[in-house]
Amino acid sequence: MVRAKFEELKETKKTIKKQIEELKELDKMKIEFLNITSHELKTPLTQIIAYLDILQNEKQGKLNKNQKESLKIISSNTKRLKSLIWDILDLSGLESKQIKFDMQPIKINEVIEDAIRDVKSLAEEKNITINKNLGNFPLIEGDEERLKQVITNLVNNAIKFTPKRGKIDINVGKKSYRLFITVKDMGIGIKKIYLEKIFDKFYQVDTGDKRKYSGTGLGLTICQGIIKAHGGEIWAESEPKKGSAFNILLYYKRLGKPTEAFTEAFSKRGGGGKN
Ligand code: ADP
């Protein structure tokens, strides 16, 4: 009796193991499919954008009002398509670990300033004030472009989900070997039950037919992938109708030894800042 039960359990274990392997294989195929498709879409889209630019800048002749209007619509839809394709490429690159991170000693306040510059006009359109308290902290090891991408994404979201004339606060703080970045808004907020889910692929809280906000639901997944690749953490705190805070934690001392390039640049540039 016991022996039969044991054999049965052994069989179940084998089946589950096989199913896990099959799911892993399917997941791999899905990533490959997304990667190939996005690459194939990227090439023609780059051409479309280039020719659109030629037309919009009237390099092939003057445009009338209707033509300008039509090109504006094509342009805005092409931008959406481009951001979706780039997001899928980033996602598949992160999942397959094909994205290489260019880890350098960086000044986080400069990265954040740079990110804010990129989204400033969006904030101005909605009369949203961005307050910064970025301090002057020692250099941290990270991929400048990728960290800028994360901050841009968070501030973009903050602008998107905050009503006109709202306020966004960006703070940087340091506690021993930990660096904290917080992007806080006074927007629509997120219910507690969704807080974990928003980092899932393609997840959006508002998915009804009358969806108010555009987006792909990939932004936060990519942010999380980038921060995890830095050995850090990202999480959200929020209260509906009051606002949300997105927090990033980066470590000064990653596990293992800092790279030689980091140690050298750190001593040359003086590290700077307070502890
Ligand atoms: P996207 O913004 O493209 O939909 P994200 O992955 O960046 O995708 O965000 C996922 C979802 O998380 C959003 O659709 C939204 O429902 C919620 N969200 C993200 N940031 C905020 C924010 N600052 N305030 C309220 N909701 C947010």
Side-chain angles (χ1 to χ4, degrees):
M1 175 75 180
V2 176
R3 178 147 196 98
K5 196 83 199 146
F6 180 72
E7 285 304 321
E8 195 186 312
L9 274 173
K10 230 166 107 183
E11 235 4 80
T12 315
K13 195 176 156 196
K14 235 163 119 183
T15 317
I16 293 174
K17 221 172 144 186
K18 197 166 159 250
Q19 281 170 343
I20 291 175
E21 286 308 317
E22 279 170 7
L23 281 174
K24 274 189 185 162
E25 192 54 35
L26 269 176
D27 204 43
K28 219 172 113 197
M29 277 165 66
K30 182 202 69 192
I31 293 172
E32 264 169 36
F33 169 75
L34 279 178
N35 203 358
I36 294 167
T37 319
S38 310
H39 268 292
E40 288 304 316
L41 289 171
K42 197 177 159 182
T43 317
L45 193 67
T46 310
Q47 292 268 334
I48 293 172
I49 291 169
Y51 278 95
L52 202 55
D53 184 63
I54 291 174
L55 290 176
Q56 280 192 307
N57 286 312
E58 302 189 317
K59 288 178 187 157
Q60 292 186 338
K62 280 254 166 251
L63 302 167
N64 64 35
K65 204 170 154 238
N66 283 344
Q67 289 167 329
K68 277 187 191 164
E69 211 40 56
S70 305
L71 285 179
K72 222 168 134 186
I73 296 170
I74 298 177
S75 174
S76 107
N77 283 290
T78 313
K79 268 189 201 147
R80 279 179 60 187
L81 205 56
K82 183 183 168 191
S83 94
L84 173 64
I85 292 170
W86 261 244
D87 275 359
I88 292 178
L89 279 172
D90 273 352
L91 180 73
S92 66
L94 283 166
E95 289 195 338
S96 59
K97 298 204 169 23
Q98 274 172 8
I99 288 185
K100 295 279 168 277
F101 286 86
D102 180 19
M103 303 299 275
Q104 300 284 341
I106 54 170
K107 270 201 170 275
I108 203 71
N109 55 344
E110 286 174 8
V111 175
I112 298 174
E113 291 279 9
D114 211 11
I116 295 174
R117 253 192 301 278
D118 281 4
V119 295
K120 210 171 145 221
S121 61
L122 281 178
E124 281 168 0
E125 270 171 36
K126 288 179 79 177
N127 259 316
I128 289 175
T129 315
I130 300 181
N131 298 319
K132 304 171 282 185
N133 183 8
L134 309 182
N136 179 25
F137 296 106
L139 297 166
I140 193 154
E141 197 178 25
D143 182 317
E144 196 164 352
E145 275 310 308
R146 291 290 172 188
L147 288 179
K148 182 182 156 190
Q149 182 182 352
V150 172
I151 306 295
T152 310
N153 211 305
L154 296 185
V155 185
N156 244 327
N157 277 351
I159 296 171
K160 185 159 74 175
F161 296 104
T162 296
K164 283 182 183 164
R165 288 176 288 283
K167 191 169 72 91
I168 294 167
D169 290 310
I170 307 177
N171 285 298
V172 183
K174 183 176 179 290
K175 240 186 206 169
S176 64
Y177 56 90
R178 291 176 299 176
L179 185 87
F180 295 93
I181 307 166
T182 305
V183 178
K184 194 166 175 284
D185 64 55
M186 289 171 45
I188 61 169
I190 305 160
K191 278 193 192 152
K192 208 170 173 186
I193 46 164
Y194 301 129
L195 276 182
E196 297 254 314
K197 293 201 175 100
I198 54 172
F199 290 93
D200 291 351
K201 268 175 268 186
F202 299 106
Y203 192 85
Q204 297 180 301
V205 174
D206 175 22
T207 51
D209 284 347
K210 294 193 204 103
R211 239 181 90 206
K212 253 169 72 186
Y213 306 98
S214 63
T216 59
L218 285 178
L220 288 177
T221 319
I222 294 169
C223 289
Q224 189 179 49
I226 295 173
I227 296 300
K228 276 194 176 161
H230 280 76
E233 286 162 44
I234 179 168
W235 70 100
E237 292 161 293
S238 188
E239 212 178 309
K241 299 201 178 100
K242 292 235 164 106
S244 315
F246 283 82
N247 307 293
I248 294 172
L249 162 64
L250 292 170
Y251 290 94
Y252 272 99
K253 285 179 197 142
R254 296 182 310 138
L255 288 177
K257 266 170 68 181
T259 60
E260 239 171 72
F262 178 72
T263 318
E264 201 188 309
F266 190 85
S267 58
K268 260 194 208 146
R269 287 172 65 171
K274 49 194 174 196
N275 264 308

